[in-house]
Amino acid sequence: MQTPPEHAYPDHWEADVVLRDGATARIRPITTEDADRLVSFYEQVSDESKYYRFFAPYPRLSAKDVHRFTHHDYVDRVGLAVTVGGEFIATVRYDRIDARGRPASAPADEAEVAFLVQDAHQGRGVASALLEHIAAVARERGVRRFAAEVLPANTKMIKVFRDAGYTQKRSFEDGSVHLTLDLEPTAESLAVQRAREQRAEARSVQRLLAPASVVVIGTGRSIGGVGRAVLRNLLASGYTGRTYAVNRSFPPDQRDVDGVPAFRSVAEIAAETAGGVDLAVVAVPAEHVPDVVADCGENGVRGLIVISAGYAESGPEGRDRQRDLVRQARSYGMRIIGPNSFGIISTADAVRLNASLAPHSPAPGRIGLFTQSGAIGMALLSGLHRRGAGLSTFISSGNRADVSGNDFLQYWYEDPETDVVLLYLESIGNPRKFTRLARRTAAVKPVVVVKGARHSGSEPPGHAVPVTRIPDAAVGALLRQAGVIRVDTVTELVDAGLLLAGQPLPAGPRIAILGNSESLGLLTYDACLTEGLRPLPPLDLTTEATPADFGAALTRALADDGCDAVVVTAIPWVGDDGDLRSGDAEFLAAALREAAASAPAKPVAVVHVELGGLSSALAAVRPRATGRRPEPPAEARQVPPQPQPPAPPEGEPVPDTAPREGNGTAGLDRQGPAVGAPGSTTDRPAESAPAPGRRIPTYPAAERAVRALSQAVSYARWRRDAAEPGKVPAYDDIDESGAAAQIHDLLGAAEDAPAATLPTDEAHRLLARYGIEVRGALAAPGPDAAVAAAERLGYPVALKTTAPHLRHRPDLGGVRLDLANETQLRQAYGELTALLGKPVELQPVVQAMAPRGVDTVVRAVIDPAVGAVLSFGLAGAASELLGDTSHRLVPVTDRDAAELIRTIRTAPLLFGWRGSAPVDTAALEQLLLRVSRLVDDHPEVVGISLEPVVVAQHGLSVLGASVRLAPPAAFTDLGPRRLPSY
């Protein structure tokens, strides 16, 4: 007898999760093949935990027990297990029951639930993760409530239920606590789930960035090679932890490499040393990596950085190898950066970790940098240090098979050492989660993103991600909605990062301009207007201005209440002897710094031309006091740093060590090393210590400085608005349950039902349930039918074609308006058919005329990558050609709806352009909010198009509508937390 489909093994319930301590585990359904694992698991549970589970001494499971706990129908009886290394560490089970507590089947909607966690793994958040997943499984199978009996002494389990955030009831019956949990997600349960997710994922990143010990696996026996380079960089950075080198080809008598203890395996390290290994850097050929991962996992390594290439970037075989790598590592509880990674860097004084191919660690700073490209990472590191910027952390994720930018956003959100987040992304594995995390992080610190592969139409090699169907402009709009500062090039990424890391946010768009070049001031003024800022008239100090004159002018500008930020422009000035002075940059820097300190709440940017040394002088600030650096342990003896080539003269190109990728890095400033940057002296004498204060960013072109300032202004405005977010309004006239029933009838219960566009009458009926009325139209297959329809509707009427190739194309002549009588209607009908074809081809309809207004378009689509997106624009070919459409993620708030209307370039047409009457934008906002609610309430609605929507002075008319239904897609940012699996 064939097993019914609903009883088949539900592989979509399998999930990798991050536990509270940052390690990973796997959750999966229990099967009949798990009998031995279950028995072994139960033997390792303490007698006390067994008593809490069964309310009596229960030393061992009987054969009947084992059969019961391993045989499930995955509907009325479900069991899940948490595994590490293939072995059980926890289980949960539910049994559907009726109102009397007896075994039952659907439609009974209550189930009894029970957990058991090995004592060694209690306190790691295992039960909390299991509860999230078993609750999601229960909801999928029609279970709406859990009942649990817990002994009063089992306080840990009671706390798991209490803290989950679900609506619950508690009572004390027969010596036990009876708990009932309503499994419908609540705002509190979602908040609890996401807070746990943030803590766990941040902890998993922290374990990678602050290891107590590091092993480099694949360290060459001779100078050269990737592994040897990583070891050299690790030692040169002054890493404070224990360091080991591993190569299975080391001879038995070799005890060290460059003064670092040498071993042939991680197992040897575990056997011969007191401490284990936290982090392994893997630099061996891809075919040997599985053995290395097994060696690491079996000996307690917590995380891996896989430098090795030959994975998904190399083709289908490599992609399979990459999937196997992730599965193997996660089975041991380890997380991976890579493969094909450039490495990671942490400049924290307690760690000083450079586990990368970068030959020098950047100076300590306040910027966190994440990149998916090693070559781009090299270019960014070089560009940032040339301009005096330091980093808190650097990550090159390579193929990003496991740890991604989302994980680092979780970490940076609460990292006190990071003030600004810079991201170079070529793909976004979970866009819904990314926008959620970016919005939360951007509320406390800037997030700047440059995205590569924007127009390729597919994911980059090595990345397996959902491919978005919405245009890149829409992606940019959604990122801006989340508070992300999106830039176009890595040059702009550095420009924005420097300003945001060193200067306060501007309070508004009013920009003061001062300098000793009238022409450069005018260029800055024009750039401000181009970027939408409000520049004040430039102040020309003339070429005779001295550093003191600059300082005085800057002090006055910053003290002006009508100024929100200042751009200083500088060229070499004329001295008393008539010669150009370009070598006194330090004096100018000191004057500007002193003046800027007088108004710490306003940002200052400097545009300079041919002023050598000004950038480094303004970037040099006294580093934070961190105390004397501790000496590294004997196992981490440093090798002498490699000799550095002399810095080139100002203005001459710096040798480019990064591979050429055509990535837009050519515009990065090429200036000598700044104080604290790689290649400079870190332990400076007290008399030469840089001056205290903020770093003042410098730019070689006015456009770049103003662009960065404009981005800061927009971000500051978003921060202010985010402090008082909009609301999703409630409507009393919405028939949500009626819409759900109609959708169910139209779509059917089959999960694989094909997507379908609703018939016109059904679409209108569904929209009406949400208060969206569509002006009716009557079919006109012939002139007489058209006249009959017009008499029924009342003159004046419109005659238009509805054929797919002519719909919404008034430019093709398929619409006739303001037909006042039968004569005009018959004449229009004849012209239409003579011009465009037979009535059967044109499918003409007659519609009552709507009040005159502005034609607009409202659309909502479900994108496979980002979810539901609401779009708005004016109707017509011009708007379509220009891409003048605004977008917001659903659900849309009242603030979002107002911004949707006002952010298109043609918005003035709605507000009385050139003396025309303004239209009813309030009614338009209400329409947008109702469409958003419909899509948000019913994920089966995968597409809505309202076109045209004629917005008049009072009210609006929806003249055409289409609705598309499909089974709801599964989005990875909804439901229980889980790691992505590609």
Side-chain angles (χ1 to χ4, degrees), residues 392-529:
S392 62
T393 39
F394 165 78
I395 306 93
S396 168
S397 67
N399 291 4
R400 205 208 62 233
D402 179 27
V403 177
S404 70
N406 284 347
D407 296 287
F408 280 91
L409 282 175
Q410 299 276 39
Y411 172 77
W412 281 322
Y413 170 64
E414 291 184 334
D415 179 28
E417 302 299 315
T418 302
D419 291 338
V420 178
V421 173
L422 305 184
L423 303 166
Y424 170 78
L425 305 176
E426 291 174 349
S427 63
I428 302 176
N430 187 341
R432 290 173 65 90
K433 183 176 180 179
F434 176 80
T435 54
R436 170 170 61 84
L437 299 185
R439 179 191 290 271
R440 186 190 59 188
T441 304
V444 295
K445 58 189 68 173
V447 178
V448 190
V449 172
V450 60
K451 189 174 183 304
R454 290 181 295 169
H455 306 296
S456 62
S458 62
E459 72 273 12
H463 299 198
V465 298
V467 178
T468 182
R469 290 196 293 257
I470 61 177
D472 182 67
V475 175
L478 300 181
L479 291 179
R480 286 191 295 274
Q481 182 186 3
V484 172
I485 303 170
R486 184 177 181 182
V487 297
D488 294 328
T489 67
V490 292
T491 300
E492 290 185 1
L493 187 72
V494 173
D495 286 346
L498 286 172
L499 180 72
L500 294 165
Q503 297 292 306
L505 293 176
R510 301 167 299 179
I511 312 299
I513 304 167
L514 62 93
N516 61 351
S517 168
E518 181 180 13
S519 298
L520 194 53
L522 290 175
L523 287 173
T524 306
Y525 184 89
D526 291 342
C528 287
L529 292 175

Side-chain angles (χ1 to χ4, degrees), residues 601-643:
K602 294 183 180 180
V604 177
V606 175
V607 178
H608 70 96
V609 177
E610 298 299 330
L611 275 176
L614 181 61
S615 292
S616 56
L618 284 171
V621 297
R622 182 174 295 138
R624 291 164 293 152
T626 55
R628 187 173 181 269
R629 289 187 174 182
E631 293 295 327
E635 294 93 331
R637 288 189 292 269
Q638 296 190 28
V639 296
Q642 299 298 310

